[in-house]
Amino acid sequence: MNFEEYIEEDKAGFVEKARAISCKLGIDPNWLMYVMYFESRLNPKARNPRSKATGLIQFMPRTAISMGTTVDKIRSMSGIEQLDLVYEYLRPYKS
């Protein structure tokens, strides 16, 4: 699947950063892209109206708070900025 067609801002920068994060996590970049596609169709502004889950991997409000932010702040971030949070969220599950 070509995930790049779903990235609306700075495709090259997003893909490069996703690959770097995948390398640090020891996972296949396609797996990371698939998870984000499944969760949000790679739309950093995606928001579930019922649960208020937001962003690339649909951060729940409590998860956002535990990471020192809010779903509103996440929603205001670009996809590239959200990748830092994706990394922080997935880091404990490295490899």
Side-chain angles (χ1 to χ4, degrees):
M1 179 171 204
N2 181 10
F3 297 106
E4 292 182 35
E5 67 188 76
Y6 296 95
I7 302 166
E8 294 185 14
E9 303 174 359
D10 190 3
K11 290 179 189 200
F14 186 93
V15 170
E16 181 181 331
K17 191 166 186 175
R19 285 185 179 145
I21 287 170
S22 297
C23 184
K24 290 195 296 189
L25 293 171
I27 59 174
D28 183 324
N30 288 315
W31 179 83
L32 179 61
M33 295 294 273
Y34 181 77
V35 168
M36 292 186 294
Y37 172 80
F38 180 81
E39 290 286 318
S40 68
R41 299 291 191 256
L42 293 163
N43 176 1
K45 307 293 183 210
R47 184 173 188 184
N48 182 307
R50 296 178 77 198
S51 69
K52 306 296 185 235
T54 300
L56 291 171
I57 61 170
Q58 293 293 279
F59 293 97
M60 294 292 289
R62 284 188 177 190
T63 303
I65 290 168
S66 74
M67 296 181 74
T69 190
T70 66
V71 290
D72 290 332
K73 287 180 185 174
I74 290 171
R75 194 161 192 225
S76 72
M77 294 177 181
S78 70
I80 291 175
E81 292 169 326
Q82 283 187 34
L83 284 172
D84 292 326
L85 291 175
V86 170
Y87 173 71
E88 288 302 320
Y89 179 77
L90 294 174
R91 189 175 52 165
Y93 309 103
K94 184 178 177 181
S95 296

